Every structure is written in C-alpha cells, then in structure tokens.
Amino acid sequence: DNKSNTFDLFGEDYYVLGKYIYTLSVFLDCCSIGLGTLENMIDCLFQLIKVLHIHKQPFVRRSVIYSLSRIFLKIQTQYLLSLHEETIKYFQQWLELNTQNDPDDPSRQLSFAALSCLQQSINSI
C-alpha cells in the first residue's frame, strides 16, 4: 500500500485522530443515559483513550482530556466508580501528573479542569 493513500494517524495525520476522539465524545454526550449503548460507548472510549493519552501530539492529548471531562460530567460518578474504578483512578493520577508535567500549557489547564470536574463529582457522592 502506498503511504500517500492511507492515513498515518499516529504521525502526520494526528489532527484527524484528535477530531475523531472529539467526535466520539460528542456522540457520547448526545446519547441518552438510559440506553444500553451508552455503557458500551463508555467502555470503548475508555479503551481508546487509554492507548492514546500518551500521544506525542498535544492536540490528541487535549482531545483525550476533553473525552474524560465529557464522561465525568455525563455519567453518574457512582456508576463510573462501580464499573470502572481502576480506570478512573488511573486517569485521575494521569491528570494530576499532567497538570504539572505536560509541556503543552493548554493541556495542563484542561487537565486541571477535568480533574476538578472529577473531584467535584466524587465529593458529591
């Protein structure tokens, strides 16, 4: 296959990958809470962003942080913790580290905001 005919999502076409993650987050946000598909969407989105959260491009990392914030705001924290406790703890630690260590200033700011959303949700239980 010729490289000019394919996407290099982990390389020069990272923008498409970032937009894909943003789009999935919007779909998740528009999905009704009572539907069984929402749980499947969350599972799949967690699997995807768990792989991509360490992407070298800041735009992709920002889209991952946006996805996390949409999940934290859309889904009841009790539900998330009951089914995804390990994943939530993992991303909480990552966001804490990201607020201090990410070389991209907007990513650090978004990480702080997403972490604040998560902590407010946890405190409201």
Side-chain angles (χ1 to χ4, degrees), residues 62 64-70 72-73 91-92 94-96 98-99 107-121:
R62 285 184 227 143
V64 166
I65 297 166
Y66 176 79
S67 291
L68 287 171
S69 67
R70 297 317 316 150
F72 297 156
L73 292 172
F91 280 118
Q92 183 178 14
W94 176 72
L95 287 169
E96 288 170 354
N98 213 37
T99 58
S107 292
R108 286 194 307 271
Q109 293 171 355
L110 289 171
S111 295
F112 182 76
L115 189 59
S116 297
C117 288
L118 176 61
Q119 289 173 340
Q120 286 177 355
S121 297

Side-chain angles (χ1 to χ4, degrees), residues 66-97:
Y66 176 79
S67 291
L68 287 171
S69 67
R70 297 317 316 150
I71 292 170
F72 297 156
L73 292 172
K74 176 77 175 181
I75 310 304
Q76 293 179 1
T77 309
Q78 298 154 331
Y79 171 77
L80 276 177
L81 290 175
S82 69
L83 294 178
H84 302 284
E85 184 174 3
E86 292 295 321
T87 305
I88 297 298
K89 287 181 180 181
Y90 177 82
F91 280 118
Q92 183 178 14
Q93 292 173 349
W94 176 72
L95 287 169
E96 288 170 354
L97 290 173

Side-chain angles (χ1 to χ4, degrees), residues 49-57 60-61 64 90 94:
I49 62 178
K50 200 162 194 175
V51 173
L52 297 175
H53 76 284
I54 56 171
H55 198 280
K56 65 181 178 179
Q57 291 295 332
V60 176
R61 290 194 309 274
V64 166
Y90 177 82
W94 176 72

Side-chain angles (χ1 to χ4, degrees), residues 31-39:
C31 191
S32 295
I33 291 177
L35 294 177
T37 56
L38 182 63
E39 290 82 15

